[in-house]
Amino acid sequence: MGNEQKQENLNNQNIQEQEPKQMMPYVDNQDMKERATRFGTGGFAAIIYAVVTTICLYKNAYGIMTVLFAAATIGFLYYVCSHAPQSKAYDNREDKTSNPHTMIYYIGILLLGVSIFLTGDRFLIACNYIGIYLLSMTVFFTCFCDAEKWGVGKYIRAVIGTVFSPLGYLFRGFSDCYVYVRQREKKKSKAIYVLVGVLIALPFLVLMLIVLSEADAIFKYIVDRSIGNLQLSGNLAGFVMMLVAVFVIVYGIFCKMVIQPPKIDCEEKRMVEPMIGITFCGLLTALYAVFAIIQILSPFLGKQMLPAGYSYSEYARQGFFQLLFVAAVNLVIVLVCNRAFAESRVLRTILTIMCGCTYVMIGSSAVRMLMYIRAYHLTYLRVLVLFGLLVLVVLFTGTIIYLYKNTFPLMKYMIVACGGLYIAFALSHPDTYIARYNLACARADVQTWMAEDVDTDDMEIRLIDLMQYDLQAGSADRTPAVFEFLEWAQARGIWTDENDDEAQSLLTYHSNLCTSRRGIRTFNVSTYRGKTALENYLEN
């Protein structure tokens, strides 16, 4: 009996020792299959996207190829979101309308790409690229996460986390590629051999393109006109580095979404006693109500009594930024209080009144800024401020709806509404109408001086002091307006000397802006229009 028990114990021990050895190959094989599948889904798409992006954007931040870049971004997002098994769109990938709520983000990405191609404004170009990134992340969150219930804070946390996600998967693209190759070798698939052939052919294609360009002047001219400033003979290393960087970043973000998507707790935890919020918000709202009444009875009705020594422009500048700050803080207060405190009708009413008082503050800020613009004309910052006030109005409108309807998709509303406003702002070319407005004011000043018989030299000095920012600053968007004004001024005897230093510096500045981009690849509408205006001015 004792021997049988010992034998049974030995058998159990042997089984336990053998089980890990039998299971390990299975686990490793399963992991290898997952990595090969992941690379097959996102790896090749990331490689193609990296190649297209590098061809489009290498030393070409705002040419016509940005439209192709935006289209490639949409194609990459659609492909990986519809072919990754972890995506919500995977089961309905055959139905083109199964995920219509992402279509509006695709449209936004394309419009931002078109906006880059149409403008020469560096600030707008940078913001457009940021917008493309944020909309791309929104598509990923929609397909791979439960983003429908996210709030503003959760969305910001997810975006920040995704920014650094490629660091955690820095070499994953290369290791997954190696695993994919090994798996395909076992299946004896010829697709991998095609990939290897393409990779081998690429450097030879580049080399032969360089050699043939040097061998024939006509062929070199055609190549240069086609690819613009993409001079492969001198930029091959930079081109390859950008290509690898784009692949690593894009595939890293894809791996983050597939392996470890942002998991943010979306449960409502409104457990804080609402009396705290009622007291806190009630005191603030009482102060805001008194301030709002004063604003309604004074500047809005034209009964403003300024302190001694104050002009309207000084009064406007002093109060504007403070009101803008209070309005932005109030938006945060309303959102936090509505999420943190338990349901209370009194608190909701107080928060609604606070929003109403904030509307008055926003209106007062706008009036003050318009007063300041009337005195000192437009600048880019002042236009951005007015745009920011409009965005705050839209955000508070959605917030009030959310106060009374918790099922309202506030985050999606903010993304779509603010994104739509920004795209309209970007497509309107603010630098153009800033220059046209200021130069129209300068025309009125010149006519006034001419009526007062001011000397021509004195008028030139005054215009230089008045229009220094508008004539020799900004982007190529304002070049046509500048030369229209210059022709108008010269027709009235101002700046008629061809050797005048101001005229020459003006020509040099705008010539550098508009004539540095050559070839189809770097073609930009704004610089083309500026170049045309410059040539017409020189001809006349």
Side-chain angles (χ1 to χ4, degrees):
M1 190 71 180
N3 293 333
E4 294 178 358
Q5 184 67 31
K6 290 180 180 179
Q7 185 65 33
E8 184 177 352
N9 291 338
L10 288 172
N11 292 336
N12 291 336
Q13 185 176 355
N14 292 333
I15 292 172
Q16 291 176 359
E17 291 177 354
Q18 293 173 5
E19 280 180 352
K21 296 179 181 179
Q22 295 173 354
M23 291 297 294
M24 284 300 293
Y26 172 76
V27 173
D28 290 344
N29 189 46
Q30 184 66 24
D31 180 63
M32 296 277 279
K33 288 182 179 179
E34 290 179 358
R35 294 175 66 180
T37 302
R38 183 168 60 243
F39 188 83
T41 302
F44 288 112
I47 291 173
I48 295 172
Y49 179 72
V51 172
V52 174
T53 299
T54 306
I55 292 174
C56 292
L57 302 185
Y58 183 69
K59 293 190 175 182
N60 181 36
Y62 53 105
I64 192 174
M65 299 296 283
T66 55
V67 180
L68 178 58
F69 160 72
T73 302
I74 296 170
F76 173 78
L77 291 171
Y78 181 81
Y79 179 82
V80 297
C81 288
S82 59
H83 286 77
Q86 297 83 356
S87 172
K88 297 177 183 177
Y90 177 74
D91 294 332
N92 299 322
R93 57 189 181 278
E94 300 299 333
D95 184 3
K96 304 301 181 184
T97 62
S98 61
N99 202 15
H101 52 283
T102 59
M103 184 58 64
I104 192 168
Y105 305 138
Y106 292 151
I107 295 173
I109 291 172
L110 184 61
L111 290 176
L112 288 173
V114 172
S115 174
I116 295 172
F117 158 60
L118 296 177
T119 185
D121 188 334
R122 301 298 179 90
F123 176 77
L124 280 184
I125 291 168
C127 290
N128 287 351
Y129 279 116
I130 294 173
I132 290 174
Y133 172 78
L134 292 177
L135 289 178
S136 300
M137 291 302 100
T138 304
V139 172
F140 271 134
F141 296 152
T142 302
C143 292
F144 290 93
C145 310
D146 294 325
E148 292 81 3
K149 299 179 181 179
W150 287 2
V152 179
K154 294 180 174 63
Y155 179 82
I156 294 175
R157 283 166 52 193
V159 169
I160 294 175
T162 310
V163 168
F164 300 101
S165 61
L167 297 177
Y169 302 93
L170 198 59
F171 302 104
R172 183 60 63 93
F174 304 105
S175 60
D176 285 358
C177 180
Y178 173 76
V179 172
Y180 180 85
V181 171
R182 294 292 300 274
Q183 291 289 319
R184 287 296 175 181
E185 285 179 350
K186 294 179 181 179
K187 296 182 179 180
K188 297 182 179 180
S189 173
K190 294 185 178 181
I192 189 62
Y193 300 119
V194 174
L195 175 63
V196 172
V198 171
L199 294 177
I200 294 174
L202 277 176
F204 283 95
L205 287 173
V206 173
L207 177 62
M208 293 305 146
L209 183 62
I210 295 171
V211 173
L212 293 175
S213 297
E214 296 297 330
D216 186 84
I218 298 176
F219 183 76
K220 179 179 176 59
Y221 174 79
I222 295 173
V223 171
D224 289 342
R225 294 291 295 177
S226 299
I227 64 178
N229 61 345
L230 186 60
Q231 298 174 1
L232 296 176
S233 57
N235 298 313
L236 186 58
F239 185 89
V240 173
M241 289 177 63
M242 180 176 176
L243 191 152
V244 173
V246 173
F247 169 72
V248 169
I249 293 171
V250 170
Y251 190 73
I253 294 174
F254 171 72
C255 288
K256 170 71 175 177
M257 291 297 162
V258 172
I259 299 174
Q260 193 180 7
K263 293 182 180 179
I264 300 176
D265 185 15
C266 298
E267 294 183 2
E268 291 280 347
K269 296 182 178 179
R270 306 174 64 173
M271 303 298 294
V272 182
E273 170 58 45
M275 187 55 66
I276 300 174
I278 291 172
T279 306
F280 165 70
C281 295
L283 293 174
L284 280 178
T285 303
L287 175 63
Y288 293 158
V290 174
F291 184 85
I293 291 172
I294 294 174
Q295 299 305 298
I296 293 174
L297 295 179
S298 51
F300 290 167
L301 299 181
K303 299 180 180 179
Q304 176 64 39
M305 297 179 61
L306 296 176
Y310 270 78
S311 65
Y312 275 99
S313 59
E314 292 171 338
Y315 167 79
R317 181 174 178 80
Q318 183 189 38
F320 167 77
F321 290 103
Q322 292 89 331
L323 291 177
L324 180 63
F325 172 77
V326 172
V329 170
N330 286 351
L331 179 63
V332 177
I333 290 174
V334 173
L335 290 173
V336 171
C337 290
N338 186 60
R339 298 282 292 184
F341 294 105
E343 185 74 21
S344 171
R345 184 174 300 177
V346 176
L347 178 60
R348 187 190 304 126
T349 303
I350 292 175
L351 292 177
T352 305
I353 296 173
M354 180 183 288
C355 291
C357 294
T358 307
Y359 276 127
V360 176
M361 295 181 189
I362 292 173
S364 178
S365 298
V367 170
R368 291 166 186 258
M369 179 51 67
L370 292 174
M371 291 166 55
Y372 196 73
I373 290 171
R374 192 175 299 115
Y376 296 105
H377 307 323
L378 281 174
T379 64
Y380 211 110
L381 179 60
R382 292 163 198 167
V383 172
L384 288 177
V385 163
L386 291 175
F387 175 72
L389 292 175
L390 177 61
V391 171
L392 281 175
V393 170
V394 173
L395 293 180
F396 270 103
T397 302
T399 302
I400 292 175
I401 297 174
Y402 184 67
L403 286 176
Y404 292 90
K405 188 178 180 182
N406 287 334
T407 58
F408 178 70
L410 181 61
M411 190 64 241
K412 183 180 179 182
Y413 166 83
M414 289 183 171
I415 294 173
V416 174
C418 295
L421 286 175
Y422 172 75
I423 291 172
F425 175 74
L427 291 173
S428 69
H429 296 180
D431 217 14
T432 299
Y433 59 72
I434 289 172
R436 292 194 179 281
Y437 174 84
N438 291 343
L439 294 173
C441 294
R443 286 189 180 96
D445 291 335
V446 169
Q447 291 175 342
T448 302
W449 298 334
M450 293 179 69
E452 296 172 354
D453 293 328
V454 177
D455 183 72
T456 301
D457 293 336
D458 191 17
M459 282 195 289
E460 290 180 357
I461 294 173
R462 292 185 185 183
L463 277 176
I464 292 171
D465 295 336
L466 184 66
M467 307 307 299
Q468 186 69 32
Y469 171 79
D470 297 289
L471 295 177
Q472 296 191 36
S475 66
D477 289 358
R478 63 176 57 202
T479 300
V482 167
F483 284 106
E484 286 177 12
F485 175 79
L486 195 58
E487 288 180 354
W488 180 88
Q490 289 179 342
R492 285 153 182 80
I494 303 172
W495 287 327
T496 55
D497 186 0
E498 295 181 357
N499 298 320
D500 186 84
D501 292 338
E502 290 300 325
Q504 288 300 318
S505 61
L506 189 66
L507 289 171
T508 301
Y509 176 79
H510 286 278
S511 177
N512 292 336
L513 281 178
C514 301
T515 60
S516 59
R517 305 180 67 80
R518 299 176 180 177
I520 299 174
R521 176 175 171 270
T522 59
F523 177 78
N524 177 273
V525 171
S526 177
T527 56
Y528 174 76
R529 291 177 65 246
K531 181 182 177 182
T532 302
L534 176 61
E535 291 173 349
N536 292 337
Y537 169 78
L538 293 175
E539 288 177 0
N540 298 331

